[in-house]
Amino acid sequence: MTKQLLIYESAVPMSASRHGKLSLEVADYSFSASINAVPLMAVEFIRAATEYAIVFAEVRDDVLPAAVLGVRPDQNLFLSEDSRWQANYIPAFIRRYPFVFSATNERKIVTLCVEESHPGLNSEGRGQRLFNDDGKPSPYTEKVLKFLKEYQIHFERTRRFGRRLKELGLLEPMRAQVTTPKGETLTLGGFMAVPRKKLRALGGDALASLAKTDELELLYLHLYSMRNFKGVRDRLIDSPLSEDTEPENAGESAASVH
């Protein structure tokens, strides 16, 4: 499997014959060092909105939410120098690593896969066993399966939410721009947001429908989260790779981040 899903390089189906003697020890989050955004499920908005800027991105035919982690394409500003996560809430996409479901095109059959390049996989018994001695999934793997099944359910709900935003024409392209004192301009683009003006212009039926499915609350959490771009700026200032920066004002609309 070629590198896809941002942080996966060699995820393969789990089996007792191949992984029966392996254990997993998760020491840090260094695997996420080179990403500047991570997919976010709708159910995570209420926790994530207090710490991350939540934006939207087109992924093939879908529109999916994402938590912004940095300005440079290959820099995660939420990692400490010793690769610890520097936020109270860790997105589920990060927490599920090194496991992932692969699915057929019809999404009828899913297979649990594990990223074999994960440095924590070992045959010395460090951490959690993946299989029992009888070849059956360990209690740890059973918990992983339960977590990924719930993740998949929330992923489908999040896809429907993205489709609704497209149908209502609420999304606009956005970008965030930061200029350092030395004149270096860093631009974060390729994302979309929902401007307040479009939300205010919605008709009563559309608003009532969004409120009934709790999607209106998600949109207000998205708007609330945009203030966290300042936190990303502050993390960039404190980063060893950057000096003081002076971002432009985000304004009152999510889409007016320049």
Side-chain angles (χ1 to χ4, degrees):
M1 182 183 292
T2 58
K3 184 165 185 178
Q4 52 186 306
L5 295 175
L6 300 178
I7 53 180
Y8 295 87
E9 296 180 353
S10 55
V12 300
M14 276 182 58
S15 67
S17 60
R18 183 163 178 156
H19 306 103
K21 302 299 183 181
L22 296 184
S23 298
L24 177 67
E25 181 182 45
V26 180
D28 57 43
Y29 295 93
S30 56
F31 59 84
S32 66
S34 61
I35 58 174
N36 70 344
V38 65
L40 203 66
M41 300 298 100
V43 72
E44 299 182 87
F45 276 35
I46 196 165
R47 294 283 304 278
T50 61
E51 298 184 277
Y52 305 92
I54 301 172
V55 296
F56 297 90
E58 287 189 300
V59 182
R60 293 181 291 277
D61 296 329
D62 293 321
V63 170
L64 297 175
V68 176
L69 303 179
V71 181
R72 291 186 172 92
D74 57 353
Q75 184 183 19
N76 179 359
L77 295 170
F78 282 78
L79 285 186
S80 65
E81 290 187 16
D82 59 353
S83 296
R84 304 295 175 181
W85 201 268
Q86 293 187 304
N88 292 320
Y89 182 73
I90 303 174
F93 186 91
I94 297 295
R95 286 184 280 123
R96 74 174 182 170
Y97 186 82
F99 302 99
V100 66
F101 273 152
S102 68
T104 61
N105 291 336
E106 299 80 15
R107 299 180 183 272
K108 293 181 179 179
I109 301 176
V110 295
T111 304
L112 177 63
C113 298
V114 63
E115 172 67 27
E116 288 191 323
S117 67
H118 191 291
L121 278 178
N122 66 89
S123 57
E124 290 78 42
R126 300 192 311 274
Q128 302 284 347
R129 280 283 301 271
L130 300 184
F131 290 89
N132 298 325
D133 291 335
D134 60 6
K136 294 181 179 180
S138 68
Y140 172 73
T141 297
E142 292 289 356
K143 289 181 180 179
V144 169
L145 278 167
K146 181 181 178 181
F147 176 77
L148 264 66
K149 287 176 182 177
E150 292 176 352
Y151 185 96
Q152 198 67 23
I153 291 171
H154 288 298
F155 176 74
E156 294 302 328
R157 181 199 171 192
T158 304
R159 289 180 69 211
R160 293 195 295 271
F161 174 50
R163 287 198 296 266
R164 178 73 67 89
L165 298 186
K166 286 180 68 174
E167 291 167 359
L168 293 174
L170 290 175
L171 295 161
E172 285 189 357
M174 62 156 287
R175 65 173 185 166
Q177 191 171 85
V178 176
T179 303
T180 69
K182 292 185 177 181
E184 180 187 11
T185 299
L186 303 175
T187 300
L188 178 67
F191 296 110
M192 296 177 290
V194 177
R196 293 180 185 274
K197 62 183 180 181
K198 285 197 171 185
L199 195 54
R200 294 189 189 112
L202 279 180
D205 290 344
L207 285 170
S209 177
L210 288 170
K212 187 175 181 179
T213 58
D214 293 330
E215 291 172 329
L216 186 60
E217 179 183 6
L218 295 178
L219 288 174
Y220 280 116
L221 286 169
H222 156 62
L223 291 169
Y224 170 82
S225 78
M226 299 305 281
R227 68 187 65 190
N228 291 322
F229 268 111
K230 181 180 183 299
V232 176
R233 184 275 316 269
D234 292 342
R235 289 173 184 270
L236 182 66
I237 291 174
D238 294 335
S239 168
L241 298 180
S242 180
E243 299 194 20
D244 287 353
T245 60
E246 192 62 40
E248 298 180 21
N249 192 350
E252 72 105 26
S253 166
S256 65
V257 179
H258 297 296

